[in-house]
Amino acid sequence: METHYSVAIDGPSGAGKSTIARAAARRFGFIYVDTGAIYRTVALAVEREGIAFGDAAGVGALLPELEVSFGYGADGAQRAYLNGEDVTGSIRTPEISRRASDVSAMPAVRAYLLDMQRAMARSYSVVMDGRDIGSVVLPGADVKIFLTASAECRAERRYKELAAAGSAISREEVLRAVIERDEHDSRRAAAPLTVAEGAVVVDTSELDLAESIEAVCSLISDKLGVKADA
Ligand code: DC
């Protein structure tokens, strides 16, 4: 039987998880799975349907109606589809970030999405990033990494991304949103953000992107005993 490796990368928003996980996946020839995008796609559907975000029953009833799927561009970037429509761009707004945090706190949503995430890891070697991958989704992952950075550092990175995309949001607003979302993601009862047992903590506050990718790839390489491509 073919060996499938699984690498779980968890951590707060803005720690560079998706960029680093995508780069690591490419270097090992694994599939990159951005699980945050699944929660974001559900949030977009809830918003479009006009269901109140606190309405757990309404959100629960919508789930079986949704067809959430993923594809990969030529650059290896993951694309998200909602009922066949490419929603990759629409799920990255600050509003959907907040809404994704709301829906991800609902146990029914988490339970519904669990199988989808596990099925991907059964079929492929994956680098999967999220909040509860090492603790809940893939507790038996071959490598578990908790990627973090100070809130100020993460807010600054997110601010630059948003400003580059033409957003007029201020630094202070971004920092406030980062702190608020951290609190929400860490304090919720359902699968809160924690360092999974056996996870190695990597703090990227003092590392640039290339150094962060290097740190993560060498950890993966050491644990799996396989080499990354340059
Ligand atoms: O990583 P992100 O910012 O795209 O995630 C969006 C939201 O989804 C975030 O508030 C946390 C939540 N999330 C989660 O609860 N579990 C995951 N595995 C991934 C994301």
Side-chain angles (χ1 to χ4, degrees):
M1 211 175 82
E2 202 187 332
T3 308
H4 290 134
Y5 294 114
S6 51
V7 177
I9 302 187
D10 292 302
S13 59
K17 285 192 310 285
S18 55
T19 311
I20 295 166
R22 184 164 49 240
R26 190 168 43 231
R27 287 178 60 177
F28 288 93
F30 297 175
I31 298 273
Y32 165 55
V33 184
D34 168 6
T35 63
I38 313 179
Y39 291 93
R40 287 170 179 272
T41 304
V42 171
L44 181 69
V46 170
E47 187 179 69
R48 284 184 174 177
E49 290 297 318
I51 297 169
F53 277 86
D55 178 3
V59 173
L62 177 68
L63 290 171
E65 311 288 320
L66 299 181
E67 195 199 302
V68 177
S69 59
F70 293 102
Y72 293 88
D75 56 355
Q78 179 179 286
R79 306 205 67 82
Y81 298 90
L82 174 60
N83 301 324
E85 176 194 341
D86 187 339
V87 293
T88 312
S90 320
I91 60 173
R92 295 287 155 198
T93 65
E95 173 65 11
I96 292 297
S97 297
R98 223 178 14 254
R99 296 313 193 181
S101 188
D102 288 345
V103 298
S104 70
M106 294 178 175
V109 172
R110 304 203 73 85
Y112 193 79
L113 300 179
L114 192 57
D115 283 347
M116 180 178 174
Q117 297 171 77
R118 286 184 175 159
M120 287 179 125
R122 273 196 302 273
S123 311
Y124 307 99
S125 284
V126 292
V127 176
M128 190 175 281
D129 83 23
R131 301 296 189 289
D132 62 336
I133 309 305
S135 55
V136 177
V137 180
L138 305 175
D142 300 298
V143 186
K144 296 184 190 180
I145 295 171
F146 189 85
L147 201 65
T148 189
S150 68
E152 288 72 19
C153 223
R154 290 182 287 119
E156 184 61 24
R157 292 173 188 165
R158 185 58 53 109
Y159 169 73
K160 284 187 180 146
E161 263 171 32
L162 290 169
S167 165
I169 196 164
S170 72
R171 277 197 163 78
E172 293 66 35
E173 279 175 278
V174 176
L175 178 59
R176 215 175 310 124
V178 163
I179 293 172
E180 206 177 281
R181 203 140 71 93
D182 279 359
E183 292 233 325
H184 198 233
D185 292 342
S186 311
R187 291 211 182 141
R188 68 183 182 212
L193 175 65
T194 51
V195 180
E197 206 185 315
V200 178
V201 178
V202 176
D203 188 322
T204 66
S205 303
E206 303 294 326
L207 304 179
D208 67 18
L209 185 59
E211 291 167 335
S212 306
I213 292 170
E214 219 30 69
V216 164
C217 285
S218 69
L219 259 172
I220 297 173
S221 206
D222 288 351
K223 290 255 182 191
L224 299 182
V226 294
K227 278 210 175 344
D229 285 338

